[in-house]
Amino acid sequence: MGIVNVTPDSFSDGGDFLDPERAVAHGLALADEGADVLDIGGESTRPGAAAVAAEEELDRVLPVIEGLRSAGCGLPISIDTSKAAVAERALEAGASIVNDVTALSDERMAALCAEAGCGLILMHMKGTPRTMQENPTYEDVVGEVRDFLADALARAVAAGVDEEAVRLDPGIGFGKTVDHNLELIDRLGELRSLGRPLVLGASRKRFIGTITGREVGDRAGGTLAANVIGVARGAEMLRVHDVRAAREALLVAEAILGRRDWREPEPAVAS
Ligand code: HH2
């Protein structure tokens, strides 16, 4: 999943793709690099980020979704939003997956996704982006994240969402210390008991900078390590800024793990 942040303030690429033409060009470039899905977001969720009104979020993301479609991009598009009003218009414009980092905090979201029959990513977060990094504590981070995601999945299914349409994400960096993030990635396999494909979003995040001492634009090596271990532990979708590097790392990692014969052509694009 290639990230297209149409925001002035995202932690890694804030402001780079606020202009819709640049965002569309970036999405097309990520498609060329081998993305299977493009994740379009119009509101930063970095710690302390300012909230954005639905109309402004829509003004950011709709021209990009429409622009990608008119440029002939046929990849599935996910809309990274926690607002049902934004998700609804994005789905009409051509998105087919809702990536909700608040796991259905908007009471209309589940019904909307059930009605639309779209894909749905539910992510764990402790607190809100404004407060989540204020001394997050857990007795057992993996157990708490698993219980939260099980509950979110149950709420989605109770609202009519097809269980098969749901992917689950431990929410790396969302109300977690460095050690929590490391433990969640290392023990990611324990979340497979939830029975749904797992998404991992570690790309360029702060814990990588803390460990490597690298600034946000210089965390490619650390990102690859997190993603490769994540895949070895069972992640099936990686949310990344650098698609080509992730794709190549996966080809080699999956060959080593014996999950794919490197002589065979790459499998068809996932949806
Ligand atoms: N992380 C971010 C945003 N959306 N969605 C999922 N499913 N998983 C994640 O880990 C995740 C996410 C934060 O990263 P980014 O979009 O690069 O930054 P910002 O929130 O500042 O725009």
Side-chain angles (χ1 to χ4, degrees), residues 5 10-11 44-45 80 99 101 123 169 174 201 205 239 241:
N5 280 323
S10 286
F11 78 93
S44 172
T45 49
D80 187 345
N99 175 20
V101 299
M123 198 196 78
D169 185 326
F174 286 85
K205 283 189 176 166
R239 184 178 178 278
H241 299 88

Side-chain angles (χ1 to χ4, degrees), residues 194-260:
L194 293 165
R196 300 305 312 141
L198 300 174
V199 179
L200 186 68
S203 189
R204 300 185 186 171
K205 283 189 176 166
R206 188 187 297 177
F207 78 101
I208 295 172
T210 306
I211 295 172
T212 61
R214 294 295 183 188
E215 292 303 320
V216 70
D218 199 12
R219 296 179 185 165
T223 296
L224 284 181
N227 283 333
V228 165
I229 300 281
V231 164
R233 302 287 192 267
E236 291 185 31
M237 180 177 271
L238 301 174
R239 184 178 178 278
V240 297
H241 299 88
D242 304 298
V243 168
R244 185 181 140 182
R247 184 121 215 159
E248 291 175 1
L250 280 188
L251 284 175
V252 177
E254 293 195 320
I256 293 169
L257 293 167
R259 292 189 189 160
R260 246 173 43 79

Side-chain angles (χ1 to χ4, degrees), residues 48-261:
V52 178
E55 277 312 312
E56 188 169 353
E57 212 180 313
L58 281 166
D59 285 348
R60 293 177 183 173
V61 297
L62 284 184
V64 178
I65 297 171
E66 286 158 2
L68 284 165
R69 288 295 178 242
S70 20
C73 175
L75 286 184
I77 290 175
S78 69
I79 175 70
D80 187 345
T81 189
S82 55
K83 299 185 188 73
V86 174
E88 185 167 25
R89 297 278 301 281
L91 292 168
E92 284 164 14
S96 57
I97 302 170
V98 171
N99 175 20
D100 183 359
V101 299
T102 66
L104 309 175
S105 65
D106 184 330
E107 57 185 22
R108 281 186 53 227
M109 190 66 104
L112 172 76
C113 293
E115 168 85 21
C118 61
L120 176 61
I121 298 173
L122 298 172
M123 198 196 78
H124 173 269
M125 181 184 332
K126 196 176 177 91
T128 65
R130 197 164 284 284
T131 61
M132 63 190 182
Q133 288 309 105
E134 291 166 8
N135 190 28
T137 46
Y138 301 82
E139 279 205 357
D140 168 17
V141 66
V142 178
E144 238 179 88
V145 167
R146 190 180 49 227
D147 290 350
F148 175 97
L149 291 176
D151 177 67
L153 175 63
R155 283 184 287 123
V157 170
V161 173
D162 179 1
E163 186 164 349
E164 297 289 307
V166 180
R167 293 178 173 88
L168 302 172
D169 185 326
I172 298 300
F174 286 85
K176 281 112 185 165
T177 62
V178 173
D179 288 322
H180 294 142
N181 292 318
L182 299 179
E183 188 170 352
L184 274 168
I185 296 172
D186 191 31
R187 294 175 57 196
L188 195 70
E190 293 175 40
L191 301 182
R192 295 178 66 190
S193 61
L194 293 165
R196 300 305 312 141
L198 300 174
V199 179
L200 186 68
S203 189
R204 300 185 186 171
K205 283 189 176 166
R206 188 187 297 177
F207 78 101
I208 295 172
T210 306
I211 295 172
T212 61
R214 294 295 183 188
E215 292 303 320
V216 70
D218 199 12
R219 296 179 185 165
T223 296
L224 284 181
N227 283 333
V228 165
I229 300 281
V231 164
R233 302 287 192 267
E236 291 185 31
M237 180 177 271
L238 301 174
R239 184 178 178 278
V240 297
H241 299 88
D242 304 298
V243 168
R244 185 181 140 182
R247 184 121 215 159
E248 291 175 1
L250 280 188
L251 284 175
V252 177
E254 293 195 320
I256 293 169
L257 293 167
R259 292 189 189 160
R260 246 173 43 79
D261 183 347

